[in-house]
């Protein structure tokens, strides 16, 4: 694909943002500098659980002494395997919510390949989002909008913009949990870029909806309003 030499452009294939033909940095890439200590403990637990689940018997160790070393090597990447599997669920649930926001019907890639229990989970995650939106009379104004700032040379895509009881929010859907301030900084950056592109646009706050992969949802705990824009 040829990248235009002028203006803002998003390459769907590579998920890269460009301005005047030069690659911009994504908001999420920049925010990777924020430490995520909760994920360190999670990764350690995944390694331990993998070892516990697959620990060889004495007979197996006697027949193949290298099996324990192989198990330890597998444990090093157990968290990545868990993350990738969970990522499929999160990605599909996210896309289902996007279709709802846009009031569109259509198949979501990967949905039909999910086992029945995973299908039920992503349906439940989507239903939680729909229930929250209907309960609060959410009026969606934008979906998957691309924004950028040429001074920062940064680009990004926010999940939705909505209006609730007269207040306008930049919204983000999280399916991997909210463990630190990263999602709030992310939404603040989207707001800054949106208002630089369109100074007349009103945005009051930032909103994060956390659709957890355990299928549970409590609006009071899983919907966050970020008031700390600066």
């Amino acid at each position: 694909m040829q990248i235009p030499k002028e203006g803002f452009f998003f390459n769907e294939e590579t998920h890269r943002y460009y301005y005047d033909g030069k690659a911009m940095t994504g908001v999420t890439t920049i925010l990777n500098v924020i430490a995520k200590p909760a994920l360190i403990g999670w990764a350690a637990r995944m390694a331990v659980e993998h070892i516990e689940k697959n620990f060889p018997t004495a007979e197996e160790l006697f027949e193949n002494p290298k099996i324990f070393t192989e198990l330890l090597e597998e444990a090093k990447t157990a968290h990545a395997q868990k993350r990738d599997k969970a990522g499929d669920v999160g990605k599909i649930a996210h896309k289902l919510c996007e279709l709802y926001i846009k009031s569109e019907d259509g198949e979501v890639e990967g949905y039909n390949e999910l086992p029945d229990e995973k299908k039920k989970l992503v349906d439940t995650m989507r239903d939680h989002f729909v229930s929250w939106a209907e309960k609060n009379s959410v009026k969606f104004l934008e979906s998957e909008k691309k924004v950028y700032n040429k001074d920062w040379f940064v680009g990004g895509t926010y999940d939705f913009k909505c209006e609730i009881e007269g207040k306008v929010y930049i919204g983000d859907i999280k399916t991997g949990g909210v463990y630190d301030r990263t999602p709030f900084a992310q939404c603040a950056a989207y707001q800054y870029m949106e208002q630089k592109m369109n100074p007349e646009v009103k945005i009051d706050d930032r909103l994060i909806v956390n659709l957890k992969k355990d299928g549970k949802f409590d609006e009071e705990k899983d919907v966050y309003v970020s008031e700390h824009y600066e």
Side-chain angles (χ1 to χ4, degrees):
M1 177 180 291
Q2 188 172 3
I3 307 301
K5 296 299 182 182
E6 295 184 0
F8 177 63
F9 176 75
F10 177 71
N11 188 330
E12 293 281 355
E13 295 178 2
T14 62
H15 202 82
R16 294 292 302 274
Y17 303 88
Y18 294 84
Y19 190 82
D20 288 350
K22 297 180 181 179
M24 307 179 95
T25 305
V27 170
T28 52
T29 299
I30 291 175
L31 292 176
N32 282 335
V33 301
I34 297 178
K36 299 174 176 61
L39 295 183
I40 297 174
W42 171 77
R45 288 195 300 275
M46 293 303 98
V48 171
E49 287 180 9
H50 182 79
I51 292 171
E52 290 178 337
K53 183 178 179 180
N54 298 283
F55 200 84
T57 64
E59 183 178 346
E60 289 172 332
L61 279 171
F62 181 78
E63 293 179 356
N64 182 11
K66 292 183 179 180
I67 195 171
F68 184 65
T69 303
E70 294 170 356
L71 176 60
L72 294 179
E73 286 299 316
E74 293 173 358
K76 291 179 181 179
T77 59
H79 69 286
Q81 296 175 33
K82 180 81 171 182
R83 178 197 62 209
D84 292 344
K85 290 179 180 178
D88 291 340
V89 168
K91 183 178 179 180
I92 293 170
H94 198 287
K95 188 65 178 180
L96 290 173
C97 292
E98 179 188 336
L99 291 177
Y100 166 73
I101 293 170
K102 293 178 177 179
S103 298
E104 294 179 355
D105 295 320
E107 291 187 3
V108 174
E109 183 179 355
Y111 178 85
N112 290 328
E113 287 71 41
L114 290 174
D116 289 342
E117 67 271 15
K118 296 294 185 182
K119 284 182 182 177
K120 184 177 179 180
L121 175 58
V122 296
D123 288 344
T124 297
M125 294 166 72
R126 184 269 319 278
D127 291 346
H128 285 320
F129 184 79
V130 172
S131 178
W132 163 77
E134 293 180 348
K135 176 184 175 182
N136 292 279
S137 302
V138 179
K139 178 183 178 182
F140 291 104
L141 308 173
E142 297 277 5
S143 175
E144 297 296 314
K145 184 173 181 181
K146 309 292 186 292
V147 289
Y148 72 97
N149 183 269
K150 61 181 180 180
D151 295 325
W152 285 357
F153 221 70
V154 167
T157 304
Y158 64 75
D159 292 339
F160 63 88
K161 183 164 64 179
C162 70
E163 181 177 335
I164 306 174
E165 296 183 350
K167 296 186 71 173
V168 178
Y169 301 85
I170 291 286
D172 200 55
I173 300 169
K174 292 299 179 190
T175 60
V178 177
Y179 304 106
D180 56 29
R181 68 187 187 279
T182 302
F184 306 101
Q186 186 177 359
C187 284
Y190 293 149
Q191 176 179 342
Y192 179 85
M193 292 189 288
E194 171 80 307
Q195 293 188 307
K196 282 292 184 179
M197 292 170 63
N198 304 292
E200 74 283 358
V201 169
K202 171 192 174 185
I203 301 173
D204 296 293
D205 275 317
R206 293 137 310 281
L207 184 72
I208 294 162
V209 182
N210 185 21
L211 303 175
K212 299 189 294 258
K213 295 190 184 77
D214 61 5
K216 298 177 182 178
F217 183 79
D218 182 341
E219 183 176 332
E220 292 186 2
K221 297 179 180 179
D222 297 320
V223 178
Y224 307 83
V225 175
S226 171
E227 300 175 350
H228 303 290
Y229 173 70
E230 294 300 329

